[in-house]
Amino acid sequence: MSSSLCYAFLYITRFEAHGSGAGWPQLWDAPADSDDMSIGLAALMMLVDAAIYLAIGWTIDRYFGIKTIKSNITYCTTTDEKAGVSIVNISKVYGPRSRRPKLALDNVSIELQKGQITTLLGHNGAGKTTLIKILTGMLRPTSGHVSVRSARARLGVCPQRDVLLTSLSAREHVQLYARLNTRLPAHQVSHEVDRMLEVLSLGPVSSEPVSRLSGGTRRRLCVALAFIGQPNLVFLDEPTAGVDPAARRDIWSMIVKLKEDRTILMTTHHLDEAELLSDQIVIMHKGQVHTTGSPIEIKRTLGNGYKLTVVYPDRAPDHDETWEETSQEEKTKQLLTVVRDVVRNANVIDVNGLEVEIGLPFFDVNGINNNFLQVCTVLEAAQTALGFKSYSMDCSSLEQVFFNICQRADAPNGIEYCKNDSTPIRNVSMSRGSKRQAIGSPSPPSSSYDKDDIRSVIKEIFKEELSEMLVKINKTIISTINQELEPLKKEMQGIRDSMYFMNEKFEDIKKEQETSKESVKKIELENTELRSTIEDINERLINLEQQSRSNNLDVQCVPENKNENVYSIITQLARVVNCEINEKDISHSTRIAKSNPSSTRPRSIIVQLASPRLRDQLLAAAIKYNQANPLDKLNCTHLGYAGPKAPVYVTEHLSPTNRALHAATRIKAKEMSYKYVWVRNGRIFVRKNDGAEYIQIKSKHSLSKIV
C-alpha cells in the first residue's frame, strides 16, 4: 500500500514538473511513454491492498482472536416495578464428566428487588460464592439463566478479601475506580470522588497510603469501591469479614446510605448483620434455597415465638427442701394457668431453680395471633398474687431460626420435634440437679384413667389420623397436578430453549456488525489522513511551483507581431514606467500559449528577470505609473503600437492553480463589492475598502471568507 501511494505522488509530481499539471484527464496516463503505471492504477492497487489486509485481519480475529465466555445473563429494560434481577433455575455442577461430579447449585430461583438488600445465608459450601460468581460472569451455570432489568447495566463487586494497592491512597483508589467504571477524564469525575470520600468520612487520612490505614478502614474503602460509577447491581461478599465491631457498624451505616436505587446482594456469616441490614433473606443449604422472606416474616413463620422468663425471690435458708420443691411446683402451675388464660397453647420449657421459662407461640391452635400485650398486662396485675420478682420476654432470634432450619434439613427421620416449636424434646431440670417432669407435658402411664385423660387421648389420636389423611390428600393432589402440568412444562422448556438459542444468535450477529463498523471507521480514518496528506503535498507543490516563478512577470494584452522583439518590448516598457532595466537583466522572455484557445486576447509575454528584486522594481514602477497617470494608464501606444489605446497589464507570473484561484477571487470579490484584489509574491489578497483588514485567499475553501 505504501509503495502504491509513493508511485501516485511521484507521477503527480512528474506531471506538475512537465507544466501540464495532474488532473482527471491524466488519471490513466503515464508521465513518460516508457512507463506502464499511472495515477489511477496506483490508487486502484491501494484499494486492493486495503481489501486484502482487511480480509486477513478479519480472518485472524475470527479464528485465532480472543474468545469471550458466553454467559447466561440477559439484559432487558423495564418501566414497571418488577424485580431488578431474576435468577431462574440456576444449577451448577463441577466436573460433570468426571467420576464424582459435585452439585454446587440445584435449581436456585431468587428475585432481587431494586432498592433492597438481599442477604444470602448458609454454612460453608452452601453455594453462596458460586452463585455470586455466576452473577458476575466469572462462571457459567450448567443450566438456568439470569435476567437483569435495567437500561444500562453496571456492576459493582466487593470480594471476600481486600483488592487494594498498598502504594495508593484512598482518594487515588476512588478516582481510579471512577475513571475505570465511567471512562471519563479526571476533572469530570471529581464530584463523585468528593461525594464518596465524604461518605467514607476518612478526613485527613484520605491522602495516606492504604498500607498505613487500619484493617477496618481498608475494608470500608473496599466496600465503597463497589458503589463507584453509579452501578445498578452491587454484590458484597462478606463485607464485614475480619473487622472489629466498631468498624462493622461504620460499614453498615455506609451500605445503608448507598443502597438507594440499587439492587444489592450480600453474603455474611453474621446473622445480626443480616437481620439489621436485609430487606430480604435467602437461606441456602447444600445448593438449594430453603427459605426466602424478610427477617420479620422468617422469624414469625419459622421461629419459636416468645420465651417468657419469670424469676422468683430467694427462699429462706431454714425452709424444708421438700416443701420448697412442692411450693415451686405449685407456683409454676399457678403461673402456667394465668398465662394459658391468654395464650392457650403456652407450655413450660424449663424450670431451673428460681427461674421458670414458658414458650409463647406466635399463633394459637386456630392460626390467630396471640395477644402478647395482654400477657404482660395480666402478669403485672397478678405479680403480688403469684409472688414472682420479675419477668422478661425474648423473641426468637434469626440465629435460632437459621440453626433450626439447617438442623431440620440435616436431621435423620428418627428425631421428633415438639408440636409447638421446632426444637427437639428435652428434659426439664429442677433445682439442685434433681430432674422432674415438665409441667404441661404428657404424664407417665398409670393404672387408672379419669374421663379427662380418656378424652385427651381420643383427641390426640383423632388429630394424628386427621393430619395423616390431610397429608395423603395433599400428596395426591400435588402428584395429579404435576402429571397434568408435565406436558405443558416440556413445551415451555422447548420454547425457552428456542428463545435462548435465538438470543445467542442475535448476540453473535450483533458482535459481527460491531466488528464491521469498527473496521469501516478505521478505513474512513485512514482515508481522512490520506486526503489530508495529499492536500498538504498539493499545497507544497503549488508553493514550490510558485517559488520557481519568483523572478517572472506576466505582461498581458500586448499586440502580437510576427517580427517583434520581445526583449525590446520589455525594455521599452521599463523606460515608459521609468525603471532602469536593460536586456542584460532579462534572463528569458517569450510568449506562452493561450489557456483558452477561443479567446481573442493576444498571448501573454512571460519575462524572467535576473533576480526577484528587479521583478519587484518593474512591477512597482508599473503600478506607480498607473497611479500617477489615471487618465493615461499604461497602454499599447506607449510601446510604439498604432491604433486604439488598449491597456497593458503587468502582473506576477502565477501558477495555473493560483491563476484559476485568482480569477475566482476576482469574481467573488466583484459580487461582494470588494474594492481591492492584489497578488504579492504569489499570494492573493482582498480588501473591502481602505479602512478594512486584508484577507488572504489560500484555496477555494478560503473564498467563503469573502462576505
Side-chain angles (χ1 to χ4, degrees):
M1 183 181 293
S2 59
S3 300
S4 303
L5 179 64
C6 292
Y7 270 107
F9 288 154
L10 177 62
Y11 292 148
I12 292 173
T13 307
R14 288 183 180 178
F15 277 117
E16 294 293 336
H18 290 169
S20 59
W24 289 109
Q26 291 79 24
L27 182 62
W28 302 103
D29 297 338
D33 296 336
S34 59
D35 290 338
D36 296 331
M37 284 288 291
S38 63
I39 300 175
L41 288 176
L44 183 61
M45 183 56 67
M46 290 172 57
L47 296 177
V48 173
D49 290 344
I52 293 174
Y53 292 155
L54 179 62
I56 294 174
W58 181 86
T59 303
I60 293 175
D61 181 70
R62 178 70 175 81
Y63 295 101
F64 303 100
I66 300 175
K67 306 297 181 182
T68 58
I69 298 176
K70 295 182 179 179
S71 66
N72 287 33
I73 300 177
T74 303
Y75 298 94
C76 55
T77 57
T78 182
T79 57
D80 54 15
E81 295 298 328
K82 290 185 178 180
V85 178
S86 295
I87 304 171
V88 182
N89 295 333
I90 290 292
S91 297
K92 177 62 179 177
V93 179
Y94 289 104
R97 299 180 181 179
S98 62
R99 295 182 178 179
R100 295 181 179 179
K102 181 180 180 182
L103 179 62
L105 296 176
D106 186 9
N107 289 329
V108 174
S109 297
I110 305 173
E111 297 287 341
L112 306 182
Q113 303 293 335
K114 182 179 180 181
Q116 294 185 0
I117 299 177
T118 302
T119 302
L120 296 178
L121 295 181
H123 293 300
N124 293 331
K128 306 186 297 299
T129 303
T130 300
L131 181 59
I132 288 183
K133 288 183 178 180
I134 291 175
L135 294 176
T136 55
M138 299 172 65
L139 286 179
R140 186 176 183 182
T142 305
S143 62
H145 71 283
V146 180
S147 297
V148 180
R149 297 178 180 92
S150 176
R152 56 174 186 87
R154 287 186 177 177
L155 183 66
V157 180
C158 174
Q160 291 183 2
R161 299 180 180 178
D162 297 339
V163 184
L164 301 175
L165 302 175
T166 56
S167 59
L168 297 183
S169 64
R171 175 179 291 275
E172 291 171 341
H173 273 91
V174 175
Q175 187 173 11
L176 174 62
Y177 275 74
R179 295 187 63 182
L180 290 176
N181 290 340
T182 61
R183 299 180 181 178
L184 296 176
H187 66 276
Q188 295 186 14
V189 299
S190 58
H191 175 69
E192 183 173 0
V193 172
D194 296 337
R195 183 184 64 85
M196 187 58 66
L197 290 175
E198 182 180 355
V199 173
L200 282 170
S201 301
L202 294 181
V205 299
S206 60
S207 300
E208 294 290 333
V210 296
S211 58
R212 300 181 183 178
L213 302 180
S214 63
T217 304
R218 288 199 299 269
R219 191 59 183 167
R220 185 152 42 110
L221 173 61
C222 193
V223 174
L225 295 179
F227 293 89
I228 295 296
Q230 302 296 327
N232 307 90
L233 311 177
V234 179
F235 300 117
L236 306 177
D237 196 359
E238 300 185 17
T240 60
V243 298
D244 57 87
R248 286 178 60 197
R249 294 187 179 275
D250 293 339
I251 294 175
W252 294 350
S253 301
M254 183 177 63
I255 293 175
V256 171
K257 290 179 182 178
L258 299 174
K259 80 169 186 176
E260 186 178 358
D261 294 333
R262 291 183 175 92
T263 303
I264 301 178
L265 180 63
M266 182 177 70
T267 65
T268 181
H269 288 296
H270 301 286
L271 300 183
D272 57 338
E273 175 178 292
E275 186 173 0
L276 178 64
L277 297 179
S278 304
D279 300 291
Q280 178 183 222
I281 289 179
V282 178
I283 298 178
M284 299 183 64
H285 187 70
K286 294 183 179 179
Q288 294 181 340
V289 175
H290 274 250
T291 305
T292 302
S294 65
I296 296 178
E297 292 174 350
I298 292 177
K299 291 193 299 182
R300 190 173 182 84
T301 305
L302 302 176
N304 301 332
Y306 284 90
K307 182 178 69 173
L308 174 63
T309 303
V310 179
V311 180
Y312 287 90
D314 295 337
R315 311 182 187 91
D318 55 347
H319 283 184
D320 183 64
E321 181 178 343
T322 305
W323 181 86
E324 289 177 359
E325 292 180 356
T326 305
S327 176
Q328 183 67 29
E329 185 174 351
E330 292 296 331
K331 289 180 180 179
T332 304
K333 287 183 178 181
Q334 295 175 5
L335 176 63
L336 184 61
T337 302
V338 172
V339 174
R340 280 184 173 175
D341 289 339
V342 182
V343 180
R344 298 187 180 277
N345 54 346
N347 64 298
V348 176
I349 298 176
D350 193 3
V351 178
N352 187 4
L354 301 177
E355 291 186 1
V356 178
E357 295 181 357
I358 299 177
L360 306 178
F362 287 116
F363 308 99
D364 60 9
V365 293
N366 298 321
I368 302 175
N369 294 332
N370 286 321
N371 193 343
F372 300 109
L373 179 60
Q374 187 177 357
V375 172
C376 297
T377 304
V378 170
L379 288 176
E380 290 177 358
Q383 181 175 4
T384 304
L386 296 176
F388 62 85
K389 180 180 179 182
S390 62
Y391 74 93
S392 63
M393 294 179 65
D394 298 324
C395 182
S396 298
S397 64
L398 185 63
E399 184 174 359
Q400 294 174 348
V401 175
F402 175 72
F403 175 77
N404 291 338
I405 291 173
C406 296
Q407 189 180 36
R408 186 182 305 172
D410 292 333
N413 297 329
I415 296 181
E416 297 181 357
Y417 292 85
C418 294
K419 298 176 183 178
N420 294 331
D421 58 10
S422 59
T423 57
I425 298 176
R426 59 174 179 170
N427 294 329
V428 181
S429 60
M430 294 294 291
S431 62
R432 300 184 183 180
S434 61
K435 296 183 179 179
R436 300 174 60 89
Q437 183 184 355
I439 299 174
S441 60
S443 59
S446 60
S447 59
S448 63
Y449 298 93
D450 55 12
K451 293 181 179 180
D452 293 336
D453 294 335
I454 296 173
R455 188 182 294 110
S456 62
V457 171
I458 294 174
K459 186 183 293 185
E460 290 294 333
I461 295 174
F462 178 75
K463 285 183 178 179
E464 291 179 0
E465 294 293 334
L466 182 61
S467 62
E468 291 179 1
M469 185 182 300
L470 290 175
V471 170
K472 292 180 180 179
I473 294 173
N474 188 24
K475 290 182 179 179
T476 304
I477 294 174
I478 292 175
S479 62
T480 305
I481 294 175
N482 289 335
Q483 290 177 0
E484 295 293 334
L485 292 179
E486 190 65 28
L488 182 59
K489 288 182 179 179
K490 292 181 179 179
E491 292 180 3
M492 292 299 295
Q493 184 64 32
I495 295 174
R496 190 179 294 112
D497 294 340
S498 300
M499 292 299 294
Y500 294 158
F501 178 76
M502 293 175 64
N503 287 336
E504 290 181 356
K505 290 298 181 182
F506 176 76
E507 291 295 333
D508 293 341
I509 294 173
K510 187 176 179 180
K511 290 180 180 179
E512 291 179 0
Q513 288 181 350
E514 291 178 355
T515 304
S516 301
K517 288 181 180 179
E518 292 179 358
S519 301
V520 171
K521 288 182 180 179
K522 290 181 180 179
I523 294 175
E524 290 178 352
L525 181 61
E526 291 180 357
N527 290 339
T528 302
E529 295 177 353
L530 180 60
R531 191 179 298 111
S532 175
T533 304
I534 292 175
E535 290 178 357
D536 183 48
I537 292 176
N538 285 337
E539 184 178 354
R540 292 185 180 183
L541 289 175
I542 292 171
N543 294 335
L544 183 61
E545 184 180 8
Q546 188 62 46
Q547 289 178 3
S548 65
R549 292 173 169 82
S550 61
N551 297 353
N552 297 1
L553 280 177
D554 187 359
V555 182
Q556 302 175 5
C557 299
V558 178
E560 295 186 40
N561 191 350
K562 184 178 292 185
N563 298 322
E564 67 182 359
N565 187 346
V566 181
Y567 287 85
S568 300
I569 295 174
I570 300 304
T571 53
Q572 177 63 23
L573 175 63
R575 285 194 296 271
V576 171
V577 299
N578 196 18
C579 181
E580 297 180 357
I581 291 178
N582 50 39
E583 292 185 3
K584 295 180 180 181
D585 297 327
I586 302 174
S587 301
H588 183 70
S589 179
T590 184
R591 287 186 183 269
I592 62 174
K594 297 180 180 180
S595 58
N596 184 8
S598 62
S599 175
T600 58
R601 296 178 61 180
R603 292 182 298 167
S604 299
I605 300 175
I606 302 301
V607 182
Q608 182 177 12
L609 299 177
S611 65
R613 181 179 59 81
L614 294 175
R615 190 278 309 267
D616 294 341
Q617 287 179 0
L618 181 56
L619 184 61
I623 294 173
K624 185 176 181 181
Y625 180 85
N626 288 335
Q627 292 176 351
N629 303 284
L631 300 178
D632 188 22
K633 292 184 178 180
L634 189 62
N635 54 63
C636 297
T637 59
H638 296 150
L639 302 179
Y641 291 93
K645 295 182 178 181
V648 175
Y649 302 100
V650 181
T651 62
E652 294 184 13
H653 183 204
L654 298 178
S655 64
T657 304
N658 284 344
R659 188 182 301 115
L661 181 61
H662 181 256
T665 303
R666 290 175 62 86
I667 295 172
K668 185 67 178 292
K670 186 175 182 181
E671 293 176 356
M672 297 298 169
S673 302
Y674 273 64
K675 188 175 180 180
Y676 302 106
V677 179
W678 74 94
V679 178
R680 179 63 177 171
N681 293 331
R683 292 177 293 178
I684 303 170
F685 301 91
V686 296
R687 178 183 291 174
K688 192 164 189 177
N689 50 49
D690 294 334
E693 295 183 356
Y694 66 86
I695 301 173
Q696 183 180 357
I697 306 301
K698 296 182 178 180
S699 62
K700 290 184 178 180
H701 299 291
S702 303
L703 293 175
S704 59
K705 298 180 181 178
I706 304 177
V707 294

